[in-house]
Amino acid sequence: MSGWSARGRGRRDEATQSCFVGRRAERAQLRESWDAAREGSRQVRFVGGEPGAGKSRLLAQLAADLRSQVATVLTGTCPSTLASPYEPFVAPVAAMRTAIADGALALAAPSPDANALVRTVALLDTVAGERPAGRASRRDLLDAVVTSVRSAAAVEPLVLLLDDVHWAGETAWELLSYLVEQTTDLRLLLVATQRTTATDRTDRLVHHVAGLCRLDGVRRIDLPPLATDDVEEYLLKEAGLPATLARTVAPDLRDRTGGNAYFVRELVQTLGARGPVGFVHPAGRAPPSVQDAVEARLGMLSPGARATVELAAVIGDVVDADLLVGTGGIPPEETLGHLDAAFDAHLLEPGDDTPTAVRFRHAIAREIVLGATPSARRAALHLRVARALEARGGRSAAHVARVAHHFEAAHVLGYRPEAARYLRLAADLAAEGLAHDEAADLYERAAVVEDDRARADDVTLLAARERMLTGAFVRSRALAEPIADDATSAHQLRAAVLFEDANWRTNLVAGRSADLLRAALDSAGDQDEELQVRALAGLGRALAFDGEDDQARFLVEHAVERARELGGDDLLRDALVASLVLGSAVTDADVKLGRAAELTELCLQTHDLWRLGPAASFRTLLGYQRGDAAILRAGLTDLRQAAEGTHQPYFGYLAGCVDFSRHVAAGRLARAAQVSEALVEIGAAVELDEHVGSDGQYGVQQFVLRRESGDLEAARGALSDEDDLGERWVPGLLALYTELGMHDAARRALWWLLESGAADPSPGTRAGVLTILSDAAVALGDVDAGRLVRAALAPYTGLNLMFGSLVSAMGSADRYLGSLDALLGAGEWETDFARAEAMDRRMGAHLHVAHTLAAHAMAHFTTGVDGCDVGAIAAEARRIATPIGSLRVLRMLDVVDGVRARRADGLTEREVEVLRLVAEGLSNREVARALVISENTAANHVRSILLKTGCENRTRAARYAADQGLLA
């Protein structure tokens, strides 16, 4: 065995255990998993069951089974009380960190130089709760753990045993998920236990386990109750009963315990205290439940021994004997005597982590002891433990969390300031370790016990900040709003700034942010100047969303100027982020792009991924808006870097929307559909006012896809001309009405929107909605509506349009302007279409090109204006749309072809197209596939061609096509 593996091996298999019975199928599954893992196929097993089912015991047995194998076994557990955010990984990570630092474990990194080693050790210290992350990102921490695991698995197969992951926090689950995803090729077996009872089986737990079980090599093992044969085996081995007696007693014990392994163990030890005779007539002596069994043993102890066990239960699942002796208030030898009595009563047993540790035989036993301890005594014991731990000192995340837990439990005794102080300190350490979810929880808990109003508001706003860093924007806003709305709070302005910062990211356009900031600025007095600059920048951004463009521009420009004068890079980055929302005209896009580029450079210099995200997002929007594919790609690269570095689902969602839009624009509809489905799951982790599901952004994306594929007919049954427009998203209804030819309903919805101000020519108008209004006005031939919509679209001349933050790309504004100008009989619509086509082709947006060409051809048809080769335009559109599968474009072209001037022989454009394919030797089936029509329709076209041309067969028709010059 290598020095590393000896150092890293856990001692769980050496713990004092009763005999192990049953679980043959589960042990066989674990052996199969081990066989696959040591061959280089990472395996993960989630072992689930009710409390007392034997999950932890199965892990201990697995460790024992692997003792003779060439393997490194590392163990970790999640305490039920407040602990380090990265539990259950702290102990395994600490073991690997020590081995790497000492040189016992070589670093398996691309370039394992001295700097890489120092950096990895520092990152592992952060995960272990020993130092702040500094400028490291969340991704850096996760990668450091993966690198360490790779290093260990490169020496010999690695087994990670993680107990009680149902108590793990969101940060630990993120680490676990990342580790599983990144190690498919390792010699790694990871086994994690979880409770599956209702109180412990949270939605979060179900979500994480279900998500991981979709990956290769990840399975669940659910422990059923012990069978009667298993109980009989246990009676034979553990209680030493004669076989006949064991066989007689086993069915009754199985029924009494329900096959719960821990209850079986406790009952057998209770009944076996008198030897085999105790099992002969157990009815009067058998406790009816585990709780009764534990309480009976507790009652057998002397008052002093019971008090020691109660103190141990308050300390935790695993108890430091030195701490127990130091807080007992009695001579050490007396405490040790009490421990011996607790061992004899089968309540406690020696621990498996350090020689001075003891532990409860099961978490259930500790829970029962705590429940039997009066609340006042529990609080007093927590206070004694808190003081003892505080006296020891220490700044590790685990130590501070323990002190905070005990002071919080004792706050009712007048120790609220201590509880608040240590909860805040624990939150600070979690935030420094990039464990934002846990930091937010701790700050909120600190606010609850904080008596001082100003400090309570302060920690509440710290919680709001951490919530925002996790993507919980709505919750962040909810924490900040009451403070921002309270003129008596010392933190009113700071709260208003934070509210707006969370609010603008949620796509909510409303005046609340501006109202709160104005009120807070009016009553702020002499506030920190940097905070005032942030408030002005936020107010400008809020006003921009509310359509007050001139005042917004003045405030934000002033904030940027003051930020430059004050010289704080952090302040300047915030002001630049705010400036990115200003304006929607072509000239505004140039200015915003310059600001986004400056912000990007500052963020990359300072490794500020949080602000890099907005900078990158706006660069993708501006790149698409301007029709500049290079800017879009560069922005998307940085946006992905922000998403991966922060593991922030908000940035991942924005990047996914960009991917969706790129695929749609390019005509990769199947790929776009896959991305849209993936976005539903990513978006579920982001709090937005605009829902990402079927009635929100996902619904917009699905409409766009189904409109292109001609798959909207199924929606007709849910629509009527009398739909209540006050109960639905009217732009969506209008789009459906228009596409399904429900003209009366479309006209009603169109004017309902116009009269509601949907086409008001203001910077706050949503461009995506304007595309729907434009399509409807053109389809209905409604000149009055078209005039209003055209005025609203005019500021977007030369730009592409989109829904939201590239929720869906909608193409060039000039295309819509061209169609509207043709409807109105005004303007240079030929020029509009030419600009739109040029932008589409520059972007490589094949579907946009097809739509622009089809709209151009349709404009000629509706106006009757000549001036270009409409047939060539339509043919080019059809050539592009056919392989893409855009039935929407093809149906538009069918309308154009069906009513254009007929040839002398009467052939329509579609029939000419079919004839060309027939001349190439294609069968009806091949023609249908090429034109995305049914084989029956293709056959009908061929019959019509033969009738109109007088040709007897397909060969003559092919010759006719050649003679007529149709093959050129």
PDB file of all heavy atoms in Angstrom, residues 747 750-751 754 776-791 820-826:
ATOM      1  N   ARG A 747     -57.694  40.767 -35.711  1.00  0.00           N
ATOM      2  CA  ARG A 747     -57.941  42.207 -35.785  1.00  0.00           C
ATOM      3  C   ARG A 747     -58.324  42.752 -34.404  1.00  0.00           C
ATOM      4  O   ARG A 747     -57.873  43.825 -33.986  1.00  0.00           O
ATOM      5  CB  ARG A 747     -59.043  42.485 -36.808  1.00  0.00           C
ATOM      6  CG  ARG A 747     -59.283  43.972 -37.056  1.00  0.00           C
ATOM      7  CD  ARG A 747     -60.201  44.186 -38.254  1.00  0.00           C
ATOM      8  NE  ARG A 747     -59.516  43.881 -39.510  1.00  0.00           N
ATOM      9  CZ  ARG A 747     -59.712  42.777 -40.236  1.00  0.00           C
ATOM     10  NH1 ARG A 747     -60.574  41.858 -39.833  1.00  0.00           N
ATOM     11  NH2 ARG A 747     -59.056  42.585 -41.358  1.00  0.00           N
ATOM     12  N   LEU A 750     -55.152  42.766 -32.274  1.00  0.00           N
ATOM     13  CA  LEU A 750     -54.206  43.771 -32.757  1.00  0.00           C
ATOM     14  C   LEU A 750     -54.571  45.150 -32.235  1.00  0.00           C
ATOM     15  O   LEU A 750     -53.732  45.885 -31.698  1.00  0.00           O
ATOM     16  CB  LEU A 750     -54.179  43.754 -34.286  1.00  0.00           C
ATOM     17  CG  LEU A 750     -53.371  44.861 -34.975  1.00  0.00           C
ATOM     18  CD1 LEU A 750     -51.908  44.789 -34.568  1.00  0.00           C
ATOM     19  CD2 LEU A 750     -53.526  44.753 -36.493  1.00  0.00           C
ATOM     20  N   TRP A 751     -55.835  45.523 -32.366  1.00  0.00           N
ATOM     21  CA  TRP A 751     -56.235  46.855 -31.933  1.00  0.00           C
ATOM     22  C   TRP A 751     -56.322  46.970 -30.412  1.00  0.00           C
ATOM     23  O   TRP A 751     -56.117  48.042 -29.849  1.00  0.00           O
ATOM     24  CB  TRP A 751     -57.542  47.256 -32.614  1.00  0.00           C
ATOM     25  CG  TRP A 751     -57.252  47.731 -33.997  1.00  0.00           C
ATOM     26  CD1 TRP A 751     -57.394  47.053 -35.166  1.00  0.00           C
ATOM     27  CD2 TRP A 751     -56.685  49.005 -34.330  1.00  0.00           C
ATOM     28  NE1 TRP A 751     -56.963  47.812 -36.227  1.00  0.00           N
ATOM     29  CE2 TRP A 751     -56.521  49.035 -35.739  1.00  0.00           C
ATOM     30  CE3 TRP A 751     -56.302  50.124 -33.603  1.00  0.00           C
ATOM     31  CZ2 TRP A 751     -55.990  50.113 -36.415  1.00  0.00           C
ATOM     32  CZ3 TRP A 751     -55.771  51.218 -34.265  1.00  0.00           C
ATOM     33  CH2 TRP A 751     -55.619  51.208 -35.653  1.00  0.00           C
ATOM     34  N   LEU A 754     -52.748  47.810 -29.687  1.00  0.00           N
ATOM     35  CA  LEU A 754     -52.396  49.156 -30.123  1.00  0.00           C
ATOM     36  C   LEU A 754     -53.016  50.210 -29.214  1.00  0.00           C
ATOM     37  O   LEU A 754     -52.371  51.204 -28.838  1.00  0.00           O
ATOM     38  CB  LEU A 754     -52.841  49.372 -31.575  1.00  0.00           C
ATOM     39  CG  LEU A 754     -52.084  48.551 -32.628  1.00  0.00           C
ATOM     40  CD1 LEU A 754     -52.709  48.744 -34.005  1.00  0.00           C
ATOM     41  CD2 LEU A 754     -50.609  48.923 -32.643  1.00  0.00           C
ATOM     42  N   ALA A 776     -49.087  40.854 -38.071  1.00  0.00           N
ATOM     43  CA  ALA A 776     -50.552  40.890 -38.057  1.00  0.00           C
ATOM     44  C   ALA A 776     -51.086  42.003 -38.960  1.00  0.00           C
ATOM     45  O   ALA A 776     -52.023  41.784 -39.744  1.00  0.00           O
ATOM     46  CB  ALA A 776     -51.054  41.089 -36.629  1.00  0.00           C
ATOM     47  N   ALA A 777     -50.505  43.191 -38.881  1.00  0.00           N
ATOM     48  CA  ALA A 777     -50.980  44.303 -39.702  1.00  0.00           C
ATOM     49  C   ALA A 777     -50.841  43.989 -41.184  1.00  0.00           C
ATOM     50  O   ALA A 777     -51.736  44.271 -41.990  1.00  0.00           O
ATOM     51  CB  ALA A 777     -50.209  45.571 -39.346  1.00  0.00           C
ATOM     52  N   VAL A 778     -49.710  43.382 -41.561  1.00  0.00           N
ATOM     53  CA  VAL A 778     -49.486  43.036 -42.970  1.00  0.00           C
ATOM     54  C   VAL A 778     -50.445  41.946 -43.415  1.00  0.00           C
ATOM     55  O   VAL A 778     -51.048  42.012 -44.495  1.00  0.00           O
ATOM     56  CB  VAL A 778     -48.019  42.611 -43.181  1.00  0.00           C
ATOM     57  CG1 VAL A 778     -47.817  42.035 -44.579  1.00  0.00           C
ATOM     58  CG2 VAL A 778     -47.088  43.803 -42.959  1.00  0.00           C
ATOM     59  N   ALA A 779     -50.624  40.903 -42.582  1.00  0.00           N
ATOM     60  CA  ALA A 779     -51.508  39.794 -42.950  1.00  0.00           C
ATOM     61  C   ALA A 779     -52.948  40.267 -43.110  1.00  0.00           C
ATOM     62  O   ALA A 779     -53.688  39.777 -43.973  1.00  0.00           O
ATOM     63  CB  ALA A 779     -51.425  38.687 -41.909  1.00  0.00           C
ATOM     64  N   LEU A 780     -53.352  41.219 -42.257  1.00  0.00           N
ATOM     65  CA  LEU A 780     -54.722  41.725 -42.313  1.00  0.00           C
ATOM     66  C   LEU A 780     -54.892  42.846 -43.340  1.00  0.00           C
ATOM     67  O   LEU A 780     -56.024  43.253 -43.630  1.00  0.00           O
ATOM     68  CB  LEU A 780     -55.133  42.253 -40.934  1.00  0.00           C
ATOM     69  CG  LEU A 780     -55.217  41.213 -39.802  1.00  0.00           C
ATOM     70  CD1 LEU A 780     -55.411  41.904 -38.458  1.00  0.00           C
ATOM     71  CD2 LEU A 780     -56.344  40.227 -40.060  1.00  0.00           C
ATOM     72  N   GLY A 781     -53.772  43.347 -43.863  1.00  0.00           N
ATOM     73  CA  GLY A 781     -53.855  44.480 -44.778  1.00  0.00           C
ATOM     74  C   GLY A 781     -54.384  45.725 -44.095  1.00  0.00           C
ATOM     75  O   GLY A 781     -55.020  46.571 -44.723  1.00  0.00           O
ATOM     76  N   ASP A 782     -54.112  45.867 -42.818  1.00  0.00           N
ATOM     77  CA  ASP A 782     -54.643  46.970 -42.010  1.00  0.00           C
ATOM     78  C   ASP A 782     -53.679  48.150 -42.084  1.00  0.00           C
ATOM     79  O   ASP A 782     -52.662  48.205 -41.377  1.00  0.00           O
ATOM     80  CB  ASP A 782     -54.829  46.513 -40.565  1.00  0.00           C
ATOM     81  CG  ASP A 782     -55.642  47.490 -39.738  1.00  0.00           C
ATOM     82  OD1 ASP A 782     -55.505  48.705 -39.957  1.00  0.00           O
ATOM     83  OD2 ASP A 782     -56.413  47.018 -38.881  1.00  0.00           O
ATOM     84  N   VAL A 783     -53.999  49.114 -42.927  1.00  0.00           N
ATOM     85  CA  VAL A 783     -53.118  50.245 -43.155  1.00  0.00           C
ATOM     86  C   VAL A 783     -52.981  51.111 -41.901  1.00  0.00           C
ATOM     87  O   VAL A 783     -51.878  51.565 -41.555  1.00  0.00           O
ATOM     88  CB  VAL A 783     -53.631  51.084 -44.344  1.00  0.00           C
ATOM     89  CG1 VAL A 783     -52.813  52.359 -44.508  1.00  0.00           C
ATOM     90  CG2 VAL A 783     -53.582  50.264 -45.624  1.00  0.00           C
ATOM     91  N   ASP A 784     -54.070  51.359 -41.209  1.00  0.00           N
ATOM     92  CA  ASP A 784     -54.016  52.208 -40.015  1.00  0.00           C
ATOM     93  C   ASP A 784     -53.114  51.589 -38.950  1.00  0.00           C
ATOM     94  O   ASP A 784     -52.299  52.281 -38.331  1.00  0.00           O
ATOM     95  CB  ASP A 784     -55.417  52.427 -39.462  1.00  0.00           C
ATOM     96  CG  ASP A 784     -56.272  53.286 -40.390  1.00  0.00           C
ATOM     97  OD1 ASP A 784     -55.694  54.086 -41.161  1.00  0.00           O
ATOM     98  OD2 ASP A 784     -57.506  53.154 -40.346  1.00  0.00           O
ATOM     99  N   ALA A 785     -53.288  50.288 -38.734  1.00  0.00           N
ATOM    100  CA  ALA A 785     -52.427  49.606 -37.766  1.00  0.00           C
ATOM    101  C   ALA A 785     -50.982  49.609 -38.251  1.00  0.00           C
ATOM    102  O   ALA A 785     -50.043  49.831 -37.466  1.00  0.00           O
ATOM    103  CB  ALA A 785     -52.906  48.175 -37.543  1.00  0.00           C
ATOM    104  N   GLY A 786     -50.799  49.377 -39.542  1.00  0.00           N
ATOM    105  CA  GLY A 786     -49.457  49.356 -40.091  1.00  0.00           C
ATOM    106  C   GLY A 786     -48.733  50.670 -39.893  1.00  0.00           C
ATOM    107  O   GLY A 786     -47.524  50.705 -39.616  1.00  0.00           O
ATOM    108  N   ARG A 787     -49.446  51.780 -39.991  1.00  0.00           N
ATOM    109  CA  ARG A 787     -48.829  53.085 -39.830  1.00  0.00           C
ATOM    110  C   ARG A 787     -48.324  53.260 -38.394  1.00  0.00           C
ATOM    111  O   ARG A 787     -47.229  53.777 -38.157  1.00  0.00           O
ATOM    112  CB  ARG A 787     -49.841  54.171 -40.192  1.00  0.00           C
ATOM    113  CG  ARG A 787     -49.245  55.573 -40.272  1.00  0.00           C
ATOM    114  CD  ARG A 787     -50.269  56.584 -40.797  1.00  0.00           C
ATOM    115  NE  ARG A 787     -50.607  56.319 -42.200  1.00  0.00           N
ATOM    116  CZ  ARG A 787     -51.789  55.862 -42.616  1.00  0.00           C
ATOM    117  NH1 ARG A 787     -52.753  55.617 -41.734  1.00  0.00           N
ATOM    118  NH2 ARG A 787     -52.026  55.657 -43.900  1.00  0.00           N
ATOM    119  N   LEU A 788     -49.118  52.815 -37.422  1.00  0.00           N
ATOM    120  CA  LEU A 788     -48.711  52.926 -36.020  1.00  0.00           C
ATOM    121  C   LEU A 788     -47.500  52.031 -35.716  1.00  0.00           C
ATOM    122  O   LEU A 788     -46.562  52.448 -35.034  1.00  0.00           O
ATOM    123  CB  LEU A 788     -49.878  52.547 -35.111  1.00  0.00           C
ATOM    124  CG  LEU A 788     -51.089  53.484 -35.116  1.00  0.00           C
ATOM    125  CD1 LEU A 788     -52.217  52.881 -34.301  1.00  0.00           C
ATOM    126  CD2 LEU A 788     -50.709  54.857 -34.573  1.00  0.00           C
ATOM    127  N   VAL A 789     -47.554  50.826 -36.233  1.00  0.00           N
ATOM    128  CA  VAL A 789     -46.461  49.886 -35.970  1.00  0.00           C
ATOM    129  C   VAL A 789     -45.181  50.360 -36.648  1.00  0.00           C
ATOM    130  O   VAL A 789     -44.079  50.263 -36.085  1.00  0.00           O
ATOM    131  CB  VAL A 789     -46.836  48.475 -36.440  1.00  0.00           C
ATOM    132  CG1 VAL A 789     -45.675  47.512 -36.222  1.00  0.00           C
ATOM    133  CG2 VAL A 789     -48.070  47.975 -35.706  1.00  0.00           C
ATOM    134  N   ARG A 790     -45.314  50.900 -37.847  1.00  0.00           N
ATOM    135  CA  ARG A 790     -44.127  51.370 -38.567  1.00  0.00           C
ATOM    136  C   ARG A 790     -43.424  52.484 -37.791  1.00  0.00           C
ATOM    137  O   ARG A 790     -42.184  52.548 -37.713  1.00  0.00           O
ATOM    138  CB  ARG A 790     -44.518  51.875 -39.950  1.00  0.00           C
ATOM    139  CG  ARG A 790     -43.315  51.832 -40.905  1.00  0.00           C
ATOM    140  CD  ARG A 790     -43.092  53.159 -41.597  1.00  0.00           C
ATOM    141  NE  ARG A 790     -41.933  53.046 -42.456  1.00  0.00           N
ATOM    142  CZ  ARG A 790     -40.695  53.352 -42.051  1.00  0.00           C
ATOM    143  NH1 ARG A 790     -40.469  53.745 -40.820  1.00  0.00           N
ATOM    144  NH2 ARG A 790     -39.675  53.232 -42.884  1.00  0.00           N
ATOM    145  N   ALA A 791     -44.219  53.379 -37.199  1.00  0.00           N
ATOM    146  CA  ALA A 791     -43.626  54.464 -36.413  1.00  0.00           C
ATOM    147  C   ALA A 791     -42.845  53.913 -35.220  1.00  0.00           C
ATOM    148  O   ALA A 791     -41.783  54.432 -34.858  1.00  0.00           O
ATOM    149  CB  ALA A 791     -44.716  55.418 -35.942  1.00  0.00           C
ATOM    150  N   LEU A 820     -44.132  46.587 -44.152  1.00  0.00           N
ATOM    151  CA  LEU A 820     -45.049  47.652 -43.767  1.00  0.00           C
ATOM    152  C   LEU A 820     -45.069  48.770 -44.805  1.00  0.00           C
ATOM    153  O   LEU A 820     -46.139  49.313 -45.134  1.00  0.00           O
ATOM    154  CB  LEU A 820     -44.666  48.206 -42.400  1.00  0.00           C
ATOM    155  CG  LEU A 820     -44.938  47.271 -41.203  1.00  0.00           C
ATOM    156  CD1 LEU A 820     -44.240  47.787 -39.957  1.00  0.00           C
ATOM    157  CD2 LEU A 820     -46.431  47.116 -40.961  1.00  0.00           C
ATOM    158  N   ASP A 821     -43.907  49.142 -45.332  1.00  0.00           N
ATOM    159  CA  ASP A 821     -43.862  50.190 -46.357  1.00  0.00           C
ATOM    160  C   ASP A 821     -44.611  49.757 -47.610  1.00  0.00           C
ATOM    161  O   ASP A 821     -45.289  50.570 -48.260  1.00  0.00           O
ATOM    162  CB  ASP A 821     -42.413  50.539 -46.682  1.00  0.00           C
ATOM    163  CG  ASP A 821     -41.768  51.393 -45.603  1.00  0.00           C
ATOM    164  OD1 ASP A 821     -42.522  51.987 -44.806  1.00  0.00           O
ATOM    165  OD2 ASP A 821     -40.526  51.457 -45.554  1.00  0.00           O
ATOM    166  N   ALA A 822     -44.487  48.461 -47.956  1.00  0.00           N
ATOM    167  CA  ALA A 822     -45.237  47.960 -49.104  1.00  0.00           C
ATOM    168  C   ALA A 822     -46.738  48.036 -48.833  1.00  0.00           C
ATOM    169  O   ALA A 822     -47.536  48.398 -49.705  1.00  0.00           O
ATOM    170  CB  ALA A 822     -44.813  46.525 -49.418  1.00  0.00           C
ATOM    171  N   LEU A 823     -47.149  47.704 -47.613  1.00  0.00           N
ATOM    172  CA  LEU A 823     -48.557  47.797 -47.240  1.00  0.00           C
ATOM    173  C   LEU A 823     -49.046  49.236 -47.329  1.00  0.00           C
ATOM    174  O   LEU A 823     -50.156  49.500 -47.828  1.00  0.00           O
ATOM    175  CB  LEU A 823     -48.744  47.265 -45.816  1.00  0.00           C
ATOM    176  CG  LEU A 823     -50.096  47.513 -45.149  1.00  0.00           C
ATOM    177  CD1 LEU A 823     -51.193  46.693 -45.857  1.00  0.00           C
ATOM    178  CD2 LEU A 823     -50.044  47.148 -43.663  1.00  0.00           C
ATOM    179  N   LEU A 824     -48.206  50.165 -46.849  1.00  0.00           N
ATOM    180  CA  LEU A 824     -48.610  51.566 -46.795  1.00  0.00           C
ATOM    181  C   LEU A 824     -48.434  52.274 -48.130  1.00  0.00           C
ATOM    182  O   LEU A 824     -48.905  53.408 -48.298  1.00  0.00           O
ATOM    183  CB  LEU A 824     -47.787  52.294 -45.727  1.00  0.00           C
ATOM    184  CG  LEU A 824     -47.936  51.773 -44.290  1.00  0.00           C
ATOM    185  CD1 LEU A 824     -46.946  52.463 -43.364  1.00  0.00           C
ATOM    186  CD2 LEU A 824     -49.358  51.971 -43.788  1.00  0.00           C
ATOM    187  N   GLY A 825     -47.737  51.616 -49.082  1.00  0.00           N
ATOM    188  CA  GLY A 825     -47.470  52.254 -50.360  1.00  0.00           C
ATOM    189  C   GLY A 825     -46.580  53.463 -50.212  1.00  0.00           C
ATOM    190  O   GLY A 825     -46.725  54.455 -50.925  1.00  0.00           O
ATOM    191  N   ALA A 826     -45.645  53.380 -49.281  1.00  0.00           N
ATOM    192  CA  ALA A 826     -44.770  54.513 -49.002  1.00  0.00           C
ATOM    193  C   ALA A 826     -43.371  53.996 -48.714  1.00  0.00           C
ATOM    194  O   ALA A 826     -43.165  52.820 -48.426  1.00  0.00           O
ATOM    195  CB  ALA A 826     -45.287  55.315 -47.814  1.00  0.00           C
TER     196      ALA A 826
END
